[in-house]
Structures are given as structure tokens and as C-alpha cells.
């Protein structure tokens, strides 16, 4: 295992088609009990509606995050869904995931996205500025015990509070993605 001090500096960039194999190889390592590859492949093919960033350490892709463009209020409000996020095990707990998320949030803010939503660990995402979301609902039902895991971050203050169902790309309409 490589020590953190021995690692090359981390660079964040948008993924390119040549990254596909490396991106696909990191998800089973980061999530050995989940098969996220079908979703990842669909999202990467939909490059017009996604922002996919990679963290590169030396010549190795150490992490990937995908943001899917979404809407609220019948398309009047531009939003994004953060998921999935994966980091190679030997790069975890070294701010690789946080760096990917922060870079993505900054790019989305520059693009005029008003809010970003995520279904994830509240302790992790709270450190990145997310808080529980109660007014905007998930596209598919999820277990009530996960209510604090549905979170958001406002990137641009809206004139009115945001509410209603998050309207997502077809890849996110599989109810299994919203269940344990």
C-alpha cells in the first residue's frame, strides 16, 4: 500500500473517453457489495446531461464523481444530482472525494446550477456543506429511515424556496437505486 506522502499531487479534470476503463474499474473496488456499473455506464454515455470529473494521482485515476443535470418546477430551476462518487481504497480518507465534490460544485455554480442534491452519508456530506432536504422530494420513494440521507446544497440563492419533486434523467428512474 502506498503511503499518502508518497503519492503524486492530485489533479481534478473532466473525464475523457479514454478514462472509461479506469473509471469502471474503480467502482467495484470502492463498492464491492454494489453493482453500480450499469448506472455509471448510462451516465457516462449521457455526457450532454452530466458532469463527470476524475481525480488523477500521477497517471492513475484515483476517483470519479458524476453530477447529473436535473430540474425542478417544470424545468424552471436548474439543479444537479451528485452520484455516484467513488475513490480507490488506497486514496480514501485523504480528501480525494472531497476534492472531487468541491471541484464539481464550483463548476456547477459557474454554470448557473441553483442546487445540488445527494442521497448519501449525512456525516460525510455535511462537511461539504450539504444539509437534510425536506421540501424537494426524490424521484422514487425511499425508506423513511433514510430521510436525513437526502440532502441538498444551494449554489445560487433562489428568489423563492425550492420545492417539489426532483426531475431527473431516465437513468435515475429505477426504483432500486433509491432502496437499500
Amino acid at each position: 500500500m502506498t503511503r499518502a506522502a508518497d503519492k503524486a499531487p492530485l489533479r481534478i479534470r473532466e473525464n475523457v473517453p479514454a478514462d472509461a476503463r479506469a473509471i469502471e474499474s474503480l467502482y467495484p473496488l470502492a463498492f464491492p457489495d454494489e453493482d453500480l456499473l450499469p448506472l455509471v455506464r448510462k451516465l457516462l454515455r449521457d455526457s450532454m446531461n452530466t458532469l463527470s470529473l476524475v481525480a488523477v494521482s500521477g497517471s492513475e485515476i484515483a476517483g470519479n464523481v458524476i453530477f447529473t443535470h436535473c430540474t425542478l418546477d417544470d424545468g424552471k430551476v436548474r439543479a444537479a444530482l451528485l452520484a455516484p462518487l467513488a475513490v480507490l481504497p488506497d486514496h480514501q480518507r485523504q480528501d480525494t472525494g472531497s476534492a472531487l465534490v468541491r471541484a464539481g460544485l464550483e463548476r456547477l455554480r459557474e454554470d448557473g446550477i441553483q442546487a445540488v442534491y445527494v442521497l448519501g452519508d449525512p456525516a460525510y456530506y455535511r462537511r461539504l456543506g450539504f444539509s437534510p432536504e425536506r421540501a424537494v422530494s426524490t424521484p422514487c420513494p425511499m425508506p423513511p429511515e433514510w430521510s436525513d440521507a437526502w440532502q441538498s446544497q444551494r449554489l445560487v440563492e433562489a428568489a423563492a424556496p425550492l420545492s417539489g419533486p426532483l426531475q431527473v434523467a431516465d437513468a435515475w428512474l429505477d426504483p432500486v437505486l433509491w432502496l437499500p
Side-chain angles (χ1 to χ4, degrees), residues 40-179:
V40 169
R41 288 176 181 136
K42 285 179 190 175
L43 295 174
L44 292 177
R45 277 194 305 264
D46 190 11
S47 62
M48 293 299 294
N49 292 311
T50 59
L51 170 63
S52 175
L53 300 176
V54 292
V56 181
S57 177
S59 61
E60 176 181 53
I61 292 184
N64 172 245
V65 66
I66 302 173
F67 295 86
T68 305
H69 295 279
C70 307
T71 60
L72 289 160
D73 195 16
D74 293 323
K76 296 176 191 157
V77 176
R78 295 175 64 215
L81 180 63
L82 185 172
L85 166 64
V87 175
L88 288 174
D90 67 341
H91 286 268
Q92 292 175 3
R93 292 174 180 64
Q94 296 173 33
D95 285 332
T96 302
S98 298
L100 281 163
V101 171
R102 285 186 189 104
L105 294 174
E106 185 57 36
R107 290 179 192 214
L108 293 169
R109 182 180 291 110
E110 290 169 1
D111 195 33
I113 300 297
Q114 291 185 347
V116 176
Y117 298 87
V118 65
L119 179 62
D121 178 5
Y124 180 79
Y125 287 101
R126 187 179 313 120
R127 292 183 297 137
L128 295 168
F130 287 84
S131 58
E133 177 60 57
R134 303 288 186 246
V136 172
S137 60
T138 58
C140 296
M142 62 179 197
E145 62 270 19
W146 286 14
S147 65
D148 284 345
W150 180 237
Q151 302 159 82
S152 67
Q153 182 176 150
R154 301 292 186 265
L155 301 182
V156 176
E157 283 306 313
L162 302 178
S163 63
L166 186 64
Q167 297 148 348
V168 296
D170 289 346
W172 286 107
L173 294 177
D174 182 351
V176 171
L177 296 172
W178 302 92
L179 297 173

